[in-house]
Amino acid sequence: MRRWQLTPKIRLTSVQATLADDLELRGEGDAHLSLVMMCEGAGWFRLNRQAIQHYCADSFWLSCASGRCQGYDFFPRHHFYHLLIVDFSPELLSLVEECGLRVPGDEPKVFSAALTEPLKATMMAIQQGWNEASPLAALHLESLALNALWLALGQLQTQQEARPLPTASRLPSRERKRLIAARDVIRQQASEPLSIEEMARTAGLSLMAFKRGFRAMFGITPWNYVIECRLKLAQNLLEESALPLSDIALRCGFAHASHLTRFFQRQYGQPPGRYRSSCQQVRMAG
């Protein structure tokens, strides 16, 4: 994660990596205006004591509050993230209402929409120009950040009705801790037979609460996370061993090699055999 106080009125936070640890961001202030742009990733956020809302890929969020606000963002580890957060001066809050996005009272509001190609291109340009340390480069980045805000406001303004995001179910602190513990158990025991029902019972949650809470916390269903962990194990064995595909499938929790092939193709865009061959070619070239 990289942060830069670009100007007194604009701060940038960028993440382009697979997180080894959970990332938590906390902030507090009298008022705020923030734009979050995400190409890839997962997670959730909360403003004040409002209900939790979760992030998803290829989207942006415009968060604004005219009164005092506490913000909390949670990004779970073992996901690849490509996101940019731009915090603007609250002086620009008037632009939000001028665009027809009502922000009544002091409670924070969040608006969201799909990440369009022009907005994504602006996000990329900001991240690419990050390392240019000069007053002229800083001026260029400031103009790009303001352009991103302009694009986001324009997109929200043209929507039929720009309404605050619907809130997700509240997740108490104890429930979040149970879900994080369940996630860690899945990762450690992914190659073993796993039952979502049993994991829910172990976490002390109903099956429905476990599924909903897991998706809200980590942006993925419990079963898809099991598959994701098993595929990562298979990927490592394909890179580092000469085991037959059938043995790799069994070691990683798949009943048959055909099951592994189907999921691997869907996740990585190529069958396991081709992936292994490409890894061998890279090693020989090196």
Side-chain angles (χ1 to χ4, degrees):
M1 182 182 71
R2 299 187 298 171
R3 281 182 167 174
W4 185 7
Q5 189 69 47
L6 180 61
T7 72
K9 296 184 178 182
I10 298 177
R11 182 179 65 191
L12 305 175
T13 302
S14 176
V15 180
Q16 287 180 275
T18 299
L19 296 181
D21 299 296
D22 294 336
L23 175 62
E24 299 178 73
L25 301 178
R26 301 175 187 269
E28 183 174 359
D30 292 331
H32 82 271
L33 177 62
S34 298
L35 176 63
V36 179
M37 294 167 280
M38 177 178 282
C39 292
E40 296 184 64
W44 54 267
F45 63 94
R46 167 180 274 174
L47 299 175
N48 288 350
R49 300 192 64 81
Q50 294 182 356
I52 287 172
Q53 303 175 44
H54 59 84
Y55 291 113
C56 57
D58 293 319
S59 302
F60 76 84
W61 296 261
L62 185 67
S63 171
C64 43
S66 55
R68 190 159 188 80
C69 179
Q70 292 179 326
Y72 177 78
D73 296 82
F74 177 82
F75 300 102
R77 60 185 178 269
H78 304 305
H79 284 275
F80 177 77
Y81 290 90
H82 184 185
L83 66 93
L84 178 68
I85 304 173
V86 186
D87 295 306
F88 297 95
S89 167
E91 296 173 7
L92 297 176
L93 278 170
S94 59
L95 294 175
V96 178
E97 294 217 9
E98 288 174 10
C99 290
L101 308 177
R102 305 301 298 172
V103 190
D106 293 337
E107 278 300 302
K109 299 295 180 183
V110 181
F111 303 91
S112 181
L115 192 65
T116 61
E117 287 304 318
L119 190 52
K120 185 182 294 187
T122 303
M123 171 186 172
M124 301 287 193
I126 292 173
Q127 291 177 317
Q128 289 170 1
W130 193 289
N131 296 322
E132 298 179 26
S134 71
L136 191 60
L139 181 62
H140 182 223
L141 288 178
E142 181 181 10
S143 69
L144 288 172
L146 291 171
N147 185 60
L149 179 61
W150 174 72
L151 288 169
L153 287 172
Q155 185 175 342
L156 292 171
Q157 187 180 33
T158 56
Q159 289 182 350
Q160 191 70 22
E161 286 185 285
R163 298 188 182 275
L165 276 175
T167 57
S169 301
R170 291 181 180 274
L171 292 177
S173 175
R174 184 173 62 178
E175 186 171 333
R176 294 199 301 272
K177 291 178 180 178
R178 290 176 176 178
L179 289 166
I180 290 173
R183 186 271 314 271
D184 291 343
V185 169
I186 291 175
R187 190 178 68 255
Q188 294 162 6
Q189 302 178 6
S191 61
E192 302 174 14
L194 291 173
S195 162
I196 302 301
E197 291 79 3
E198 182 60 33
M199 283 187 283
R201 283 194 293 270
T202 302
L205 300 169
S206 69
L207 180 60
M208 184 65 70
F210 180 71
K211 288 181 176 180
R212 287 179 176 174
F214 198 97
R215 186 176 180 85
M217 278 281 290
F218 307 115
I220 189 172
T221 66
W223 184 244
N224 283 342
Y225 185 68
V226 171
I227 297 299
E228 186 178 278
C229 291
R230 288 176 175 175
L231 288 173
K232 185 62 179 177
L233 292 172
Q235 188 181 33
N236 291 337
L237 287 174
L238 287 167
E239 293 174 2
E240 300 170 2
S241 78
L243 288 170
L245 190 59
S246 57
D247 288 356
I248 291 177
L250 292 175
R251 289 193 181 200
C252 296
F254 294 98
H256 303 284
S258 60
H259 293 172
L260 169 58
T261 299
R262 184 171 70 252
F263 285 113
F264 198 96
Q265 173 83 40
R266 185 185 304 168
Q267 179 78 5
Y268 300 112
Q270 58 183 324
R274 186 182 302 169
Y275 177 80
R276 171 177 269 171
S277 297
S278 64
C279 291
Q280 291 172 344
Q281 291 172 2
V282 169
R283 282 197 297 269
M284 291 175 63

